[in-house]
């Protein structure tokens, strides 16, 4: 009875360093995206705390409303948005 895979020639066994090189090349980090400033309205700079909330990812209209409700307290605004 023949062994499974017997008779097939696959070639020489690769060196471990070659295997590592292939894996590293396959999983290389993606090129870094260009740095972009968040799309913040010019008036956002005039409202204290608004850029901080926008940087956290909150929508501008909800962040403005939360700051109004909390009388400009950023921590209270964040708590109300969460």
């Amino acid at each position: 009875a023949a062994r499974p895979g017997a008779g097939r020639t696959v070639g020489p066994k690769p060196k471990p360093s070659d295997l590592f090189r292939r894996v590293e090349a396959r999983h290389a980090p993606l090129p870094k995206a260009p740095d972009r400033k968040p799309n913040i309205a010019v008036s956002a700079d005039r409202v204290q705390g608004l850029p901080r909330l926008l940087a956290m990812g909150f929508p501008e209209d909800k962040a403005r409303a939360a700051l109004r409700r909390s009388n400009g307290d950023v921590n209270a605004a964040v708590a109300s948005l969460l």
Side-chain angles (χ1 to χ4, degrees):
R3 291 187 348 233
R8 285 190 290 169
T9 56
V10 182
K13 187 175 178 181
K15 296 177 187 174
S17 60
D18 293 337
L19 292 174
F20 284 122
R21 226 177 281 123
R22 275 194 246 157
V23 169
E24 286 174 347
R26 193 177 313 145
H27 298 286
L30 296 173
K32 189 175 180 182
D35 290 334
R36 293 185 180 156
K37 292 183 179 180
N39 188 11
I40 299 174
V42 177
S43 64
D45 293 335
R46 296 186 200 135
V47 179
Q48 192 171 1
L50 184 59
R52 192 165 150 201
L53 293 177
L54 295 177
M56 292 180 193
F58 295 112
E60 185 174 353
D61 57 334
K62 291 185 179 186
R64 284 181 186 273
L67 281 170
R68 261 187 247 111
R69 283 192 307 268
S70 64
N71 294 322
D73 184 359
V74 177
N75 292 329
V78 169
S80 72
L81 288 167
L82 298 177

